[in-house]
Amino acid sequence: MNDAQLQFVVVINAQGQYSLWPAGKPMASGWSAAGMRGERQVCLDYINQHWVDMRPRSLRENLSPSSASFQ
């Protein structure tokens, strides 16, 4: 079976970062399934559509306009 035929699961962590995980392997600690499973390119396309801000969630929240104080 070549890499294109392998099945993957799209996973996401608490910081909102996405990755691929081989289907059927125990999930790594801190990651959970994001709802997409399929061939590598299908999963990468899903990530590209859903992970539009590469910054970790904690950084996005700290830099959000609502958290800034203006004087």
Side-chain angles (χ1 to χ4, degrees):
M1 181 178 297
N2 65 36
D3 190 48
Q5 295 172 317
L6 294 175
Q7 293 289 298
F8 293 90
V9 176
V10 176
V11 294
I12 190 169
N13 65 19
Q15 289 294 318
Q17 298 166 310
Y18 287 82
S19 189
L20 295 181
W21 194 257
K25 299 281 184 179
M27 192 72 59
S29 178
W31 293 86
S32 60
M36 173 56 74
R37 178 188 175 124
E39 293 177 354
R40 179 180 170 81
Q41 191 57 55
V42 170
C43 290
L44 289 174
D45 291 344
Y46 178 89
I47 290 172
N48 284 332
Q49 292 172 353
H50 291 86
W51 192 13
V52 295
D53 190 341
M54 302 283 292
R55 297 174 299 169
R57 178 174 285 128
S58 58
L59 179 61
R60 290 191 313 264
E61 290 172 355
N62 286 329
L63 295 178
S64 71
S66 63
S67 68
S69 61
F70 297 98
Q71 299 186 15

